[in-house]
Amino acid sequence: MKITIFGSGYVGLVTGACLADAGNHVVCVDVDRRKIEMLERGEIPIHEPGLEAIVRRNFESGRLRFTLDAAEGVGHGLFQLIAVGTPPDEDGSADLRHVLAVARTIGSLANDYKVVVTKSTVPVGTADKVRQAVRAALAQRGLTLEFDTVSNPEFLKEGAAIADFMKPDRVVIGSDSARAADLMRTLYEPFTRNHDRLIVMDIRSAELTKYAANAMLATKISFMNELANVAERVGADIEQVRIGIGSDPRIGYSFIYPGLGYGGSCFPKDVKALAHSAEQVGYDAAILKAVEAVNERQKLRLFEKMKAHFGDLRGKTIALWGLAFKPNTDDMREAASRVLIDALLKDGARVRAYDPVAMPEAARLYNEPAALTFCKSTGEALQGADALAIVTEWQEFRSPDFDALKQALAAPVIFDGRNLYEPTHMAKMGFSYYAIGRATQNQANPA
């Protein structure tokens, strides 16, 4: 099948590569010349395990192409997938300018039947606006070509996107056209062959499903962090509580790990956008607002613990392990590390930071001010540090050489934002250990 994807960012590139890998012919269109040139050289602008090999294989086979030419893209594909960004406006609403610009482009260039598919995460009612934009552009050309609009939200987890696409939990199709729904079913058949996971519904329900899924997961994270803060104050261990409630199949273990809050390109933006959408129809989404407020507060928990331990942070050096908002990605959008770094620098502290893959992104964001040093290893980050802060739960941080760690630090102090270690074990080794929702082990003041 012939497919065009507008947008070669995270969603567009993963979608295009995986569809091409199933034997389809895919053209990815983007307005960023530098990105297109990178992709044609076989360079991947994002970090996603397994993606580079799939892109290179399908580019070399001719099934995956990249272009700046929108006319080439519109002329190529029966399916016209819109996977451009929807950044939040100042009021939290999703900015649909890029989505609607692509819709107008399709309408201004199409000469035969198209299935216009929205992959971008968009508010309820966006498909109607896309349909109107395509129709208006066709009308300006004096044409009344048949086309269908479809909502096909993505459910890709950064760091596991290839597996999520190849073996999906579900494929949601929002359509009011039997013809378009059948074509979408055929498109996804290679990925749902073993078990039919394709769910067809009306367009508005599909649009809401994406927001609802992300908001539900964000709610679980904020709720668990709220419980963790209560646990600290009443002398309970949130990790034991997590096991106790996770064993209930109605709750489960997914997304109930306490920490420093959620980040990335999806949860923060989508919670805000859903709350704004609710306001637009006269409803006060109190839970969504609370989820966001708890999350923003949680990102400062390690900083608050540092202030309580040190008092004055001026002149202190903090080793920071982990910059990406989660493991297996270089994405630092809305990452807890950025909130912590900014607070430490503002308070006069120095930061020595390390991340396995996000160092180039961090350098781009910060331009390495004098008080912030980017290091090449965990050990280098520890040099001259007064304490260690763990912000991202990368696998290589889980079993460090604690003797070497203790010798490297000016004082054996760890602020663990991901609860990687056992507090009693850390106390026996002589560390002052601050975790989330667990008893503090303070060697300076054991009582």
Side-chain angles (χ1 to χ4, degrees):
M1 305 185 82
K2 293 185 176 181
I3 303 151
T4 296
I5 301 178
F6 283 88
S8 297
Y10 187 83
V11 174
L13 190 55
V14 171
T15 300
C18 291
L19 287 172
D21 211 47
N24 299 292
H25 292 267
V26 180
V27 171
C28 291
V29 183
D30 206 288
V31 297
D32 187 337
R33 180 177 296 277
R34 176 177 167 274
K35 183 186 293 184
I36 293 296
E37 291 174 349
M38 283 182 64
L39 290 167
E40 289 185 330
R41 292 195 302 268
E43 300 173 12
I44 306 300
I46 59 175
H47 178 83
E48 180 61 38
L51 179 59
E52 183 174 351
I54 296 178
V55 170
R56 181 175 289 114
R57 177 168 68 243
N58 287 281
F59 179 73
E60 291 175 352
S61 73
R63 289 191 300 269
L64 180 62
R65 306 201 317 268
F66 304 101
T67 184
L68 294 160
D69 187 353
E72 178 186 352
V74 175
H76 170 79
L78 164 63
F79 298 94
Q80 301 280 312
L81 276 59
I82 303 176
V84 294
T86 54
D89 277 340
E90 292 183 5
D91 60 2
S93 63
D95 185 344
L96 298 178
R97 285 178 297 172
H98 304 306
V99 170
L100 297 180
V102 172
R104 288 190 290 270
T105 297
I106 294 169
S108 66
L109 295 169
N111 291 308
D112 52 10
Y113 173 76
K114 304 292 183 184
V115 181
V116 182
V117 183
T118 305
K119 291 292 293 182
S120 304
T121 302
V122 294
V124 176
T126 298
D128 293 338
K129 295 178 180 178
V130 167
R131 182 185 291 113
Q132 292 165 6
V134 174
R135 188 173 290 145
L138 287 169
Q140 286 184 341
R141 300 166 60 202
L143 297 178
T144 55
L145 287 177
E146 183 182 2
F147 69 94
D148 283 311
T149 53
V150 170
S151 173
N152 174 216
E154 53 83 18
F155 297 97
L156 305 176
K157 298 186 296 291
E158 290 192 48
I162 301 300
D164 286 345
F165 196 98
M166 297 295 197
K167 298 180 179 179
D169 294 323
R170 76 285 205 196
V171 176
V172 172
I173 303 297
S175 176
D176 54 11
S177 162
R179 178 184 182 184
D182 286 344
L183 286 168
M184 294 296 292
R185 187 180 297 277
T186 302
L187 179 64
Y188 278 103
E189 197 273 338
F191 309 101
T192 60
R193 183 171 294 162
N194 292 335
H195 182 72
D196 187 5
R197 300 179 184 274
L198 193 138
I199 305 168
V200 179
M201 59 183 71
D202 67 88
I203 292 177
R204 287 183 171 240
S205 294
E207 290 172 331
L208 183 56
T209 295
K210 170 62 177 180
Y211 274 133
N214 280 354
M216 175 62 78
L217 297 174
T219 299
K220 292 182 74 173
I221 294 170
S222 280
F223 180 74
M224 205 62 190
N225 284 331
E226 193 90 298
L227 285 182
N229 295 333
V230 172
E232 287 185 17
R233 288 160 174 78
V234 300
D237 185 338
I238 194 61
E239 290 299 322
Q240 296 183 35
V241 174
R242 177 182 64 79
I243 294 169
I245 65 174
S247 60
D248 185 332
R250 297 172 300 175
I251 298 172
Y253 291 104
S254 297
F255 287 84
I256 61 168
Y257 288 84
L260 298 177
Y262 56 80
S265 63
C266 295
F267 287 9
K269 172 175 69 71
D270 293 352
V271 170
K272 289 185 179 75
L274 185 53
H276 182 268
S277 294
E279 288 181 358
Q280 293 298 101
V281 293
Y283 183 75
D284 181 20
I287 290 178
L288 294 177
K289 292 178 180 177
V291 167
E292 182 185 355
V294 168
N295 191 63
E296 291 306 304
R297 185 175 64 196
Q298 196 69 17
K299 291 179 181 180
L300 286 167
R301 285 299 291 138
L302 283 196
F303 178 73
E304 294 166 354
K305 291 173 182 287
M306 291 177 191
K307 290 282 285 185
H309 178 88
F310 288 113
D312 189 359
L313 284 167
R314 282 179 297 180
K316 299 295 182 183
T317 298
I318 306 298
L320 195 153
W321 286 1
L323 294 168
F325 85 94
K326 72 172 189 177
N328 298 318
T329 181
D330 62 351
D331 194 344
M332 288 182 62
R333 284 173 289 186
E334 303 282 346
S337 64
R338 297 177 65 176
V339 176
L340 178 57
I341 289 171
D342 291 347
L344 287 169
L345 296 182
K346 184 178 179 181
D347 240 40
R350 301 177 67 86
V351 177
R352 297 178 59 82
Y354 166 74
D355 187 283
V357 302
M359 303 307 291
E361 177 66 6
R364 184 187 71 82
L365 290 170
Y366 281 97
N367 198 25
E368 200 158 359
L372 174 60
T373 301
F374 295 131
C375 302
K376 296 179 181 180
S377 67
T378 55
E380 184 183 341
L382 294 171
Q383 294 174 11
D386 295 288
L388 167 64
I390 300 172
V391 182
T392 312
E393 62 276 31
W394 284 97
Q395 190 68 23
E396 69 177 85
F397 301 160
R398 293 182 180 274
S399 298
D401 182 337
F402 286 108
D403 289 335
L405 196 158
K406 192 174 180 180
Q407 290 180 354
L409 291 171
V413 183
I414 297 178
F415 299 91
D416 185 356
R418 300 299 175 183
N419 290 0
L420 297 188
Y421 314 131
E422 183 57 43
T424 54
H425 182 55
M426 300 305 293
K428 288 178 182 178
M429 290 190 294
F431 284 92
S432 291
Y433 180 70
Y434 297 84
I436 303 297
R438 313 190 78 181
T440 295
Q441 305 294 329
N442 190 341
Q443 299 304 306
N445 182 18

